[in-house]
Amino acid sequence: MSSGRHILVIDAGSSSVRSLIVQDSGVIIGEGRSQISWKHRNPGWAELDPVALWKATRQTILDAVIDAGISVNQISAAGITSHRETIMIWDKTTGEPVHDALVWISNQTDEIVERWEKSGVASEFKKRTGLHNDSFFSAGKIVWLLENVSGLREKIRSGKYIAGTVDTWLSWNINGRTLHVTDPSCASRTALFNIHDLKWDSELLNLLNIPEEIFPKIIDSDGDFGNVDRAILDADIPICAVMADQQSGMFGQACFTDNSIKNTFGTAGVLTVNVGDKPREVAGLTGSVAWKVKGEVKYEVEGVVFHSGQTIQWLRDNLGIYAPANRIDQIVRSVSNNAGVYLVPALGGLAAPYWNRKARASIQGLSLDTSSAHLVRAAVEAMAFQTLDIIEKLSEFPVEQFKVDGGAASSNFLCQFLADISGIRIQRPIELERTALGTAYVAGLRVGIWESLEEISNSWSAERIFEPNIKDSEREKLVNGWKDAVTKTLIGSGKK
């Protein structure tokens, strides 16, 4: 049995939910995992069952404790990190959702977003919330529910119905349905939160005809989110950390100083920059709250790529291009180059820095010599090229190196290719699981397991550093090929 103090972290990602037990050394010693399925009622729509999500989460908590081989009394605190923008409304007396949750990637709110664009409301989003008027964010999803769930507005007037993103739904269930709360990092991804005033934007909500009373109370990222319900774990375990997944990953990567950068290669790809104690605006990117810990607020600028690791899964599961047992790096390295093949994975549109939801995926440069390995290589290269598109928007930030994490960051080919085309040093940490670790750190700081950010920063170390290693002429040729492919994809959508 493990000795010392431990943190329970619930990590609700886009494709799976996991619970992890993190030791006071920062090592993960136990895990429970369950896959999450989306529903696709119509093309482009994506929804998930909140009740199924909660049941899966509860089981992973129990599985993680068993896997760690510890007593529940050895758990000092709990934290929650979750994917962002997905939102739902439910009956607070029964816990019954009024409809399945609308997932971040879903485009069923496109008509609402276009309506706001035509009415002139769109400009308010960036100014107030740091985000774009886009179906990606929660604002349109809430309005879709209000407009499409019969009698919902009348039900809300009864005071029985509340709303929240995934973190709020899970914390509400885990704390025994006693507190309806969220933190600034999660709230700041809804496009309804004023990042300057750090509160729900009443004027914007009124403008969009969204009732403010359904939203959770916003507290610090290391605030009091209640205690784990003893019906789940029979011990006194405070929930004292909630963070959005990408912001949590930045904390886990010890990006505590201004201009420090990390990129996560997950289902989506997200590059985040710590921009300090004031919001910053960068064309094509979004601004959000990174966290509010120990009373101090940090902001981030980020670029989101809708389809990163998901593109590889799509090639495997939908197209059968390669078998699950095959190692990606081996496939990619089985060909010497991409043979001029570029895959622009706009499977649900293009996000940063283009923000074109009408764009559709394209594969360009095919010939009789193209093999399945070339397609896989093009997909992996696209993960790096899309990251480069975001890096190029950071001209006002000194980018000499940055950290990577996420499952796909285990690929030596991907990390080296990113270093080559960007000309930037890439640092890969010993432990790639930084998202859950970030939330563990926040909870651990609250209960005294870790004493300071400096202690956490000193514990970070690189497993490998990737230095740029190609000629400028080769880099230019590769990047120009990608840019040409993106341009053609955008033209195909009717927008350049």
Side-chain angles (χ1 to χ4, degrees):
M1 178 180 289
S2 172
S3 61
R5 304 173 71 186
H6 304 82
I7 304 292
L8 165 67
V9 179
I10 293 89
D11 179 4
S14 296
S15 58
S16 68
V17 59
R18 302 180 304 151
S19 292
L20 303 106
I21 303 297
V22 181
Q23 205 171 27
D24 52 14
S25 61
V27 175
I28 296 169
I29 63 167
E31 178 182 350
R33 176 192 291 264
S34 179
Q35 294 301 116
I36 300 300
S37 298
W38 295 354
K39 300 178 181 180
H40 302 282
R41 301 175 194 267
N42 291 298
W45 291 26
E47 301 173 353
L48 63 81
D49 181 350
V51 175
L53 171 63
W54 163 233
K55 288 180 178 178
T57 301
R58 180 172 179 149
Q59 186 59 51
T60 65
I61 293 172
L62 303 177
D63 292 345
V65 175
I66 293 171
D67 188 49
I70 63 171
S71 162
V72 293
N73 293 308
Q74 291 178 270
I75 301 175
S76 300
I80 300 168
T81 181
S82 69
H83 73 271
R84 311 165 304 171
E85 296 95 22
T86 298
I87 200 161
M88 62 212 82
I89 298 175
W90 66 94
D91 185 327
K92 66 181 180 182
T93 59
T94 67
E96 188 68 26
V98 302
H99 189 278
D100 284 334
L102 274 59
V103 178
W104 55 272
I105 192 62
S106 184
N107 67 9
Q108 67 206 78
T109 61
D110 281 358
E111 183 275 328
I112 295 168
V113 168
E114 290 172 5
R115 186 199 315 164
W116 289 340
E117 193 73 39
K118 292 176 181 177
S119 69
V121 173
S123 60
E124 294 296 319
F125 286 101
K126 187 72 172 178
K127 179 173 65 177
R128 295 169 180 268
T129 74
L131 308 179
H132 297 283
N133 174 37
D134 192 273
S135 296
F136 178 46
F137 304 108
S138 312
K141 303 181 196 303
I142 282 287
V143 170
W144 190 94
L145 290 170
L146 291 170
E147 293 181 353
N148 288 274
V149 176
S150 179
L152 182 55
R153 286 192 182 275
E154 289 72 23
K155 290 177 180 178
I156 287 174
R157 293 190 188 100
S158 71
K160 290 174 55 182
Y161 291 82
I162 53 179
T165 42
V166 171
D167 65 291
T168 299
W169 168 250
L170 292 181
S171 67
W172 184 78
N173 279 286
I174 294 170
N175 68 35
R177 302 180 174 182
T178 58
L179 291 176
H180 180 225
V181 287
T182 190
D183 95 304
S185 70
C186 295
S188 68
R189 300 301 297 179
T190 62
L192 297 170
F193 175 85
N194 191 304
I195 61 172
H196 308 281
D197 299 336
L198 298 177
K199 63 183 182 181
W200 299 116
D201 195 307
S202 299
E203 292 181 2
L204 183 59
L205 288 166
N206 186 57
L207 190 63
L208 302 177
N209 195 23
I210 301 174
E212 185 173 352
E213 62 269 20
I214 64 174
F215 291 102
K217 179 181 179 181
I218 299 166
I219 63 177
D220 292 2
S221 307
D222 58 352
D224 177 10
F225 295 86
N227 281 16
V228 176
D229 189 349
R230 282 185 174 269
I232 303 170
L233 295 178
D234 190 15
D236 184 18
I237 305 172
I239 308 167
C240 49
V242 165
M243 296 182 78
D245 57 359
Q246 297 304 324
Q247 289 92 319
S248 182
M250 188 159 60
F251 204 97
Q253 285 275 38
C255 291
F256 302 136
T257 58
D258 292 5
N259 301 324
S260 53
I261 302 174
K262 70 88 184 166
N263 190 86
T264 297
F265 291 108
T267 302
V270 186
L271 186 144
T272 53
V273 185
N274 183 333
V275 297
D277 58 6
K278 291 182 175 62
R280 296 275 293 273
E281 184 172 336
V282 177
L285 308 184
T286 59
S288 301
V289 176
W291 54 74
K292 187 177 182 183
V293 172
K294 292 185 177 294
E296 294 187 3
V297 179
K298 290 292 184 180
Y299 289 89
E300 52 124 52
V301 162
E302 73 170 58
V304 174
V305 170
F306 285 151
H307 306 286
S308 188
Q310 191 176 50
T311 308
I312 307 299
Q313 295 171 347
W314 171 74
L315 286 178
R316 181 193 67 197
D317 299 338
N318 290 51
L319 302 188
I321 295 294
Y322 70 98
N326 294 145
R327 291 177 57 85
I328 292 297
D329 269 21
Q330 290 179 349
I331 298 173
V332 168
R333 293 185 186 282
S334 70
V335 290
S336 59
N337 54 56
N338 65 14
V341 177
Y342 290 86
L343 193 164
V344 182
L347 300 165
L350 287 173
Y354 306 103
W355 296 103
N356 185 341
R357 293 302 293 266
K358 293 183 178 180
R360 286 297 173 262
S362 67
I363 302 174
Q364 299 170 39
L366 297 175
S367 71
L368 290 175
D369 296 323
T370 302
S371 68
S372 59
H374 288 118
L375 292 178
V376 174
R377 182 171 180 132
V380 174
E381 289 184 352
M383 297 168 69
F385 282 128
Q386 290 178 106
T387 303
L388 178 64
D389 287 342
I390 296 167
I391 293 170
E392 290 180 340
K393 291 293 181 179
L394 301 176
S395 57
E396 60 188 280
F397 299 94
V399 184
E400 297 179 355
Q401 62 185 25
F402 64 87
K403 300 171 180 177
V404 294
D405 56 47
S410 63
S411 166
N412 290 336
F413 175 85
L414 172 61
C415 293
Q416 184 60 58
F417 189 76
L418 178 57
D420 287 343
I421 62 168
S422 67
I424 297 170
R425 181 185 305 113
I426 305 300
Q427 298 176 304
R428 186 171 67 191
I430 291 175
E431 172 58 67
L432 288 178
E433 180 44 73
R434 310 313 291 192
T435 300
L437 197 54
T439 297
Y441 283 149
V442 173
L445 284 167
R446 171 71 185 274
V447 298
I449 291 179
W450 293 282
E451 297 297 327
S452 66
L453 297 183
E454 183 179 11
E455 179 185 357
I456 294 170
S457 185
N458 289 338
S459 70
W460 190 96
S461 59
E463 174 264 331
R464 183 169 173 179
I465 296 175
F466 297 84
E467 300 281 357
N469 192 32
I470 62 172
K471 296 179 180 179
D472 290 345
S473 58
E474 185 178 355
R475 177 183 299 121
E476 184 178 0
K477 180 180 178 180
L478 286 166
V479 173
N480 286 344
W482 166 257
K483 291 184 180 299
D484 182 60
V486 171
T487 298
K488 290 175 180 175
T489 299
L490 292 172
I491 291 173
S493 72
K495 178 181 179 181
K496 181 177 178 181

